[in-house]
Amino acid sequence: MMLANVAGMSRAYFVRLFAKHMNQTPHSYLTDIRVRAARKMLHEGQDPMGVAIECGFFDQSHLNRHFKRRIGTTPGAYKNMHAH
C-alpha cells in the first residue's frame, strides 16, 4: 500500500491506525468516496455503466454491489428516482 510506505509504516499498522481514527479501513473509505461520486453523477442523469468506470469501479456489477450496500438501491433505480 503506497500510503503506508509514504508514512513509513507497515501496511498492517497503517490500516489499524487509519481505522482507529476514521472508523473504517482505507479501502472502505475509498469505496465510500467512489459511491458518493457515483451518486452525484447518477443524480445528474448519467448512465450507470459510464459512472461505474468513471468512479473507479471495475464494472457496473461492482458498482451495483457497493452502491446497493451503502445506498439501499441499485444505481439504475437511483438514477430513475433522482435524475432531473
Side-chain angles (χ1 to χ4, degrees):
M1 173 183 285
M2 192 166 53
L3 290 175
N5 289 337
V6 169
M9 301 175 189
S10 72
R11 182 173 187 229
Y13 183 69
F14 178 82
V15 170
R16 276 195 315 274
L17 196 60
F18 188 97
K20 179 181 176 184
H21 290 281
M22 299 300 291
N23 296 318
Q24 58 185 339
T25 65
H27 183 264
S28 181
Y29 180 79
L30 178 58
T31 301
D32 283 346
I33 289 171
R34 289 176 173 166
V35 168
R36 281 196 299 271
R39 194 168 151 180
K40 181 178 185 277
M41 293 170 77
L42 292 165
H43 191 80
E44 294 168 351
Q46 295 187 40
D47 180 60
M49 176 84 120
V51 168
I53 301 305
E54 186 72 25
C55 291
F57 291 97
F58 182 73
D59 57 19
Q60 189 173 346
S61 67
H62 188 213
L63 168 63
N64 285 355
R65 186 169 51 256
H66 290 287
F67 196 92
K68 187 165 185 170
R69 186 177 302 144
R70 285 168 168 78
I71 307 301
T73 189
T74 64
Y78 183 87
K79 176 188 172 191
N80 292 336
M81 288 186 291
H82 298 282
H84 45 209

